[in-house]
Amino acid sequence: QVQLVESGGGLVQPGGSLRLSCAASGSILRINAMGWYRQAPGKQRELVAAPTSGGSTTYADSVKGRFTASRDNVKKMVYLQMNSLKPEDTAVYYCSADITPMGRTSWNRYWGQGTQVTVSS
C-alpha cells in the first residue's frame, strides 16, 4: 500500500510564510515525478511546482520567485517553501507522486489527502 501524507498547512497573514511537507511510504520500488498542486474553491486543480530528481523544477508563473520546491529522494519526501504569501494563494494543496510499487513494472499517480492553506488578515 502506497501512501502520501502532507503536513504544514494552516492560516497565515499576507506576506507570511509556510512550509509544506509530503512523505511517501509503503511498498515503493521507484518514485519518478513528485510535485505540488492546488485547488481553490470553484477552480480547477493546477500545478504549483514539480521538482525533478535531476535538480530542475517547474513552477506556475503565479508562484515563481516566491515558492521553492525540493525533494529528498532518500527520505522519499517533497517540500514546498512558500514565502510572500498572497490571499490568492488560498487553496487546498495536494502532493502527488508517480510511483512504481514493488512487484509492478508500471507507475501510478498517487495523491495525498490535501492540506488547507489560508492566507488572510
Side-chain angles (χ1 to χ4, degrees), residues 29-30 32 98-110:
L29 175 63
R30 181 170 53 251
N32 300 316
D98 297 338
I99 294 173
T100 304
M102 289 285 191
R104 302 284 182 88
T105 57
S106 61
W107 59 267
N108 294 319
R109 176 157 292 181
Y110 294 83

Side-chain angles (χ1 to χ4, degrees), residues 8-112:
L11 172 65
V12 64
Q13 292 186 341
S17 298
L18 281 175
R19 186 179 190 236
L20 305 183
S21 300
C22 173
S25 63
S27 299
I28 296 171
L29 175 63
R30 181 170 53 251
I31 300 177
N32 300 316
M34 297 187 81
W36 291 95
Y37 290 73
R38 68 185 181 187
Q39 188 166 19
K43 294 187 176 181
Q44 290 188 331
R45 190 173 297 189
E46 63 173 355
L47 174 69
V48 176
T52 69
S53 57
S56 62
T57 303
T58 299
Y59 292 100
D61 288 343
S62 59
V63 306
K64 284 180 180 176
R66 301 188 296 122
F67 290 11
T68 303
S70 58
R71 282 178 64 167
D72 186 327
N73 294 323
V74 174
K75 294 182 178 179
K76 299 185 179 66
M77 295 192 70
V78 63
Y79 307 94
L80 185 66
Q81 177 66 44
M82 304 184 293
N83 298 327
S84 302
L85 282 160
K86 304 175 181 180
E88 50 263 43
D89 295 318
T90 296
V92 178
Y93 284 70
Y94 296 91
C95 168
S96 77
D98 297 338
I99 294 173
T100 304
M102 289 285 191
R104 302 284 182 88
T105 57
S106 61
W107 59 267
N108 294 319
R109 176 157 292 181
Y110 294 83
W111 294 91

